[in-house]
Amino acid sequence: MQDNSHELFALEKKFWQSMVDTDTDTAIELLHEPAFMVSSHGSMKFDHAGYRKMAEQGTMVVKSFKLSEMEATFPSDGAAVLSYKVHQILSPRGKSEKVEQHMTDTSTWIRDGDAWRCVMHTEAPAPTAKGGDAGQR
């Protein structure tokens, strides 16, 4: 089985950068149709038009991000699951206030012809350390 970790890490970063740049077309090129997302807002299934609406009219926008501790596993030649931590800065659309978040994310990518496409993304708040300095940034 071929290890495409570096290629998929680059695609994941490209997707994140497309959100910062409000480059919805690039994001859509990287998404399977339909795709799923699970977050603190619940679970949703969306097509490309649904993603475009979220990206261009959603209440929050990504201003910056830093991905770390990226890992990949390949259950088959045509599927990969990425897991990583993200430090993201968000702002309400049209406002200057900023919200800082530390999250733990996963993305599931599948081979679609010659291209990899993201079919599933999850995010959850990163656990905070209790007592001691484990997990502090």
Side-chain angles (χ1 to χ4, degrees):
M1 194 175 313
Q2 187 176 2
D3 183 345
N4 295 302
S5 298
H6 294 296
E7 177 185 3
L8 286 160
F9 296 159
L11 290 173
E12 191 76 21
K13 289 175 185 173
K14 183 177 181 179
F15 189 90
W16 276 89
Q17 191 61 49
S18 76
M19 291 188 291
V20 171
D21 296 341
T22 60
D23 181 0
T24 308
D25 291 334
T26 293
I28 286 172
E29 288 174 15
L30 296 170
L31 283 173
H32 185 268
E33 187 172 42
F36 289 89
M37 184 171 67
V38 177
S39 71
S40 61
H41 304 289
S43 176
M44 67 176 73
K45 180 179 177 181
F46 53 89
D47 59 12
H48 288 169
Y51 177 81
R52 183 176 298 281
K53 184 176 180 181
M54 283 188 293
E56 296 176 358
Q57 299 173 22
T59 59
M60 298 296 280
V61 294
V62 178
K63 293 298 195 177
S64 67
F65 68 94
K66 181 179 178 192
L67 308 183
S68 63
E69 300 181 36
M70 296 187 85
E71 294 187 61
T73 187
F74 295 86
S76 70
D77 285 338
V81 180
L82 307 184
S83 176
Y84 56 92
K85 292 183 179 178
V86 60
H87 173 220
Q88 59 191 18
I89 306 292
L90 309 171
S91 289
R93 187 172 298 279
K95 306 217 175 180
S96 61
E97 66 192 68
K98 295 187 182 341
V99 177
E100 182 176 0
Q101 295 179 331
H102 294 275
M103 308 297 279
T104 302
D105 289 21
T106 65
S107 291
T108 302
W109 292 78
I110 60 168
R111 179 67 81 174
D112 183 14
D114 292 335
W116 286 98
R117 307 239 189 265
C118 185
V119 68
M120 173 75 169
H121 181 78
T122 70
E123 72 172 20
T128 56
K130 301 225 189 248
D133 61 343
Q136 287 187 357
R137 299 168 206 249

